[in-house]
Amino acid sequence: MLTRLTMAIAYFRKMQLRIRPYSLQFKHPFGVSSNTRRETPTVFVCLQEGEHKGYGEACLPAYLGETTGDTLAFLEKAGTLLQHTNTSVSLDALLDELDQLSIANNAGKAALDIALHDLYAKVKGQSFAEFMGIKAAMPVATSFTIGIDNAEKTREKIEEAAEFSILKIKAGTANDRALIELIRSLTNKPLYVDVNQGWSNTTEAIALAQWMSQQGVLLLEQPMSVDNKDEMRLLSAQSPIPTIADESVKRLHDIPKMDGLFKGVNIKLMKSGGLREAMKMISACRKDNLLVMLGCMAESSCATTAMAQLMGMADFVDLDAPRLYTNDPFGGATYHQGKIKLPTGIGIGAFPLPQFDF
Ligand code: MG
C-alpha cells in the first residue's frame, strides 16, 4: 500500500524550474588575445522536485555568441517542457528532448544538464559518482590562469597564484616571447600557454613552439584561428609541445573531424551542452588517441564543481575560475594547495551560499 502511494506521489510530482541571471565580477580585468573584460554574465538555474533541488549554470562570455536574452528565452521554453515531467522519466530521454529544443544554446543546455544530473542523483540519495557509476575523483592539481596584463600586474598575479603548481598563461600578442621570459624570471612552475587563436604566421608559430618547449611549456592551446586548418595541421605536426583545441571543438560531432588538427581537446561544459556529452567527448578522445583537458568558461563554483566531478578522467585540468572572482555566489569544490577537492554528500555538491538565497 505504502509503495503504491509513494509511486502515485512520484507520478504526480513535477519539476519546477527557477532562473536567475547574475554578473560574476573579476578580481582583475581578464585579458585574452582578442579582448579584456571585467565581468562575465551567467544564468543560474534551480530545478526542484519535492524537497530536492538541482543546481546548474549557463556561463556566457560574449565571444561565445550566446546572450543572456537568448539563454533566458531557451530556458523558459525548456521550463514549460520540464513542468510536465519528473525524475521517473529516463534522464537520457529528457536530455535528448531538451537538446532538440534548439540547434544553439549550448550554455543553456549545460545549465539544465548539470541541474538534472544533480537532481536525479539527489532523488536517488546518491553522489554524482555513484549515480553515474564512475570512480569519485581524488584531489587533482589545476592550473591557475594568468590573463594578459602589464609587467607589474603580471608579477602581482604570479604572487597571488603561489599555492598553484601549474600556471596557464594567456598569450597571443606580438609580445609572447617577452611574456614567457618575464614569467620565467619570476617562477619555474610548468606552464600551459593559451593563445586564443592569436598566431597567424606558421613559420613564426613553429619557431615559438620550439622555443617554448625549452621553457617548461607543457601544452599550447588553440594557437591559430579556427579557419586556418592547413596551417594548424602543419604546426601540430611540427610542435614539440602538444597542441590542444579549444575554440575549434565544441561538441562531440567535432571530434571525428579533427584529422591531425590538434593533439588533444579542451572540453568545456558550456561548449558541450553539459556533463553527458562531456563524458562522451572524453571517450571519443581516448578512442582517437587525443589528450583530454577539462576547462571552463570562467564559471562560478556551480558549473566548475560539476566539471570537477570528471577530473579523474583528464590529462590536464584547468578549473580555477571561481578563484578569479570576487562574488562567487556558490560553494562546492574547494582548493587546497593548488589541488581541487570534490565535496562529499549527495548530488554534484554545488550549493548556493546563504546570502544568494536561491
Ligand atoms: Mg582556451
Side-chain angles (χ1 to χ4, degrees):
M1 178 65 191
L2 190 61
T3 312
R4 274 170 64 189
L5 185 63
T6 311
M7 282 169 67
I9 291 168
Y11 182 78
F12 288 113
R13 196 173 53 196
K14 303 293 182 195
M15 287 183 206
Q16 282 188 318
L17 177 66
R18 279 185 289 128
I19 305 166
R20 172 93 65 96
Y22 189 81
S23 176
L24 292 162
Q25 303 290 320
F26 283 108
K27 280 181 198 162
H28 301 285
F30 188 69
V32 301
S33 65
S34 57
N35 66 85
T36 297
R37 66 184 202 267
R38 293 179 179 276
E39 60 184 344
T40 310
T42 198
V43 178
F44 293 107
V45 301
C46 173
L47 261 175
Q48 183 159 6
E49 183 181 281
E51 75 272 30
H52 298 292
K53 292 175 179 175
Y55 296 100
E57 173 181 8
C59 187
L60 305 162
Y63 70 90
L64 277 186
E66 293 182 44
T67 65
T68 301
D70 295 342
T71 305
L72 293 177
F74 169 75
L75 291 172
E76 275 160 27
K77 201 161 140 189
T80 308
L81 186 152
L82 290 165
Q83 72 186 359
H84 297 293
T85 189
N86 63 27
T87 52
S88 64
V89 171
S90 133
L91 177 55
D92 251 342
L94 192 48
L95 288 172
D96 282 342
E97 209 169 337
L98 290 168
D99 199 14
Q100 284 155 19
L101 282 182
S102 153
I103 52 159
N105 299 108
N106 287 336
K109 289 172 185 176
L112 296 172
D113 167 287
I114 298 165
L116 283 165
H117 278 91
D118 193 25
L119 179 65
Y120 271 67
K122 282 172 176 168
V123 167
K124 284 199 158 190
Q126 294 177 323
S127 69
F128 174 81
E130 287 165 345
F131 177 67
M132 298 304 292
I134 60 173
K135 232 171 104 185
M138 298 305 288
V140 169
T142 175
S143 50
F144 183 81
T145 305
I146 309 289
I148 295 174
D149 222 318
N150 61 39
E152 193 189 328
K153 276 282 180 192
T154 302
R155 266 189 208 101
E156 201 182 305
K157 289 177 183 177
I158 301 274
E159 275 172 34
E160 282 178 17
E163 74 169 278
F164 293 90
S165 58
I166 307 159
L167 300 177
K168 174 164 163 172
I169 309 300
K170 288 288 192 181
T173 73
N175 306 320
D176 286 349
R177 194 179 281 255
L179 172 64
I180 301 300
E181 281 170 346
L182 169 69
I183 285 159
R184 275 291 161 256
S185 72
L186 301 167
T187 174
N188 57 10
K189 288 176 184 176
L191 307 177
Y192 303 159
V193 170
D194 187 359
V195 184
N196 285 110
Q197 313 183 70
W199 294 351
S200 51
N201 180 307
T202 318
T203 312
E204 283 174 20
I206 292 168
L208 258 178
Q210 284 168 346
W211 177 76
M212 283 185 182
S213 73
Q214 311 295 314
Q215 306 297 317
V217 175
L218 302 185
L219 65 84
L220 200 50
E221 195 177 318
Q222 195 74 42
M224 307 187 94
S225 157
V226 294
D227 302 320
N228 286 356
K229 290 197 171 66
D230 292 341
E231 293 88 340
M232 191 57 237
R233 237 175 228 113
L234 196 62
L235 173 58
S236 278
Q238 299 205 22
S239 170
I241 316 168
T243 52
I244 306 291
D246 185 1
E247 289 88 335
S248 290
V249 173
K250 291 190 170 76
R251 296 196 59 166
L252 180 64
H253 57 73
D254 294 318
I255 293 179
K257 300 178 203 156
M258 294 270 283
D259 190 26
L261 262 182
F262 292 90
K263 297 289 170 63
V265 180
N266 186 351
I267 300 169
K268 299 180 178 180
L269 295 176
M270 299 302 134
K271 296 191 295 181
S272 72
L275 288 157
R276 179 178 70 150
E277 186 144 325
M279 290 180 75
K280 288 181 185 173
M281 290 176 78
I282 293 172
S283 300
C285 283
R286 294 301 178 208
K287 191 172 139 279
D288 290 352
N289 214 13
L290 293 164
L291 293 162
V292 171
M293 181 172 190
L294 297 186
C296 57
M297 291 292 178
E299 294 139 22
S300 78
S301 285
C302 181
T304 308
T305 301
M307 190 51 130
Q309 293 284 346
L310 309 184
M311 64 187 174
M313 305 174 183
D315 300 300
F316 310 104
V317 172
D318 177 36
L319 295 173
D320 60 328
R323 293 292 295 264
L324 304 175
Y325 289 119
T326 59
N327 65 339
D328 182 356
F330 269 77
T334 50
Y335 298 86
H336 301 276
Q337 297 176 327
K339 288 186 174 177
I340 305 175
K341 187 165 173 274
L342 287 176
T344 53
I346 59 170
I348 284 171
F351 58 93
L353 297 177
Q355 62 268 31
F356 188 52
D357 188 29
F358 188 45

